[in-house]
Amino acid sequence: MHEPAKYNCPFCRILSDESESSIELIFESKFSVGFLGLRGNEKSGPTVLIASKKHYENIYSLPPEVVADSFVLAQNVAVALKEEFQVDGTTIWQHNEPAGDQDVWHFHLHVKGRLEGDSLYKETAYELTSEERQFIRARLKNYQ
């Protein structure tokens, strides 16, 4: 286990409505939820995070049915990003443990809309405004 003692998981707070943020669930399946990430990139499409409903620190302890459910939901999100935002492609990634760049100790996938030549791995993320988040959420809520 890498999560600190008495870890106050931000994803568990979101799922239990204890979060003070304006995060809204956009997608939901049997074992997973999808919500808009807090950061965006100027040159590429939105990012949706897919998190397990139940708290699992990382992929190693995830039951197979949750793995399958999370990736099916990620596929649906990728299609929604492609159709609603006309992205040229998508990237799906997931981090495990500190050496794997994990910094939130709750299993989740990132589904990122990509544009040709977006230089995703070179650009700097910025905090999305409330208006940007509302616009993206409204567009993606049509997909479930």
Side-chain angles (χ1 to χ4, degrees):
M1 299 271 301
H2 294 92
E3 65 185 57
K6 299 182 183 178
Y7 182 60
N8 189 8
C9 178
F11 291 174
C12 289
R13 287 196 321 267
I14 290 166
L15 289 165
S16 65
D17 287 333
E18 294 174 17
S19 177
E20 293 141 21
S21 72
S22 61
I23 291 177
E24 179 182 332
L25 301 183
I26 304 171
F27 299 93
E28 186 168 7
S29 59
K30 185 173 181 179
F31 299 112
S32 309
V33 295
F35 51 91
L36 190 59
L38 291 175
R39 293 180 184 86
N41 297 90
E42 292 179 6
K43 299 178 185 173
S44 57
T47 299
V48 174
L49 302 177
I50 307 296
S52 58
K53 287 182 178 179
K54 185 176 174 188
H55 184 87
Y56 298 97
E57 181 176 310
N58 51 42
I59 201 165
Y60 307 122
S61 59
L62 215 58
E65 62 272 12
V66 180
V67 173
D69 183 79
S70 297
F71 277 92
V72 168
L73 188 55
Q75 179 186 34
N76 292 339
V77 169
V79 168
L81 292 174
K82 185 109 174 110
E83 292 182 5
E84 281 298 314
F85 293 95
Q86 290 77 49
V87 296
D88 299 319
T90 56
T91 295
I92 298 172
W93 72 89
Q94 194 268 325
H95 303 280
N96 297 288
E97 302 181 295
D101 289 331
Q102 184 177 8
D103 60 359
V104 174
W105 307 108
H106 185 122
F107 171 80
H108 63 287
L109 302 166
H110 301 248
V111 184
K112 174 76 178 147
R114 301 291 305 277
L115 300 174
E116 191 70 39
D118 66 14
S119 303
L120 174 67
Y121 299 108
K122 295 179 184 174
E123 66 181 67
T124 303
Y126 70 96
E127 195 78 17
L128 292 172
T129 66
S130 176
E131 293 79 20
E132 288 172 315
R133 293 175 56 74
Q134 185 177 10
F135 171 77
I136 295 167
R137 275 196 304 265
R139 298 268 310 265
L140 291 177
K141 277 195 141 200
N142 298 326
Y143 291 85
Q144 185 57 13

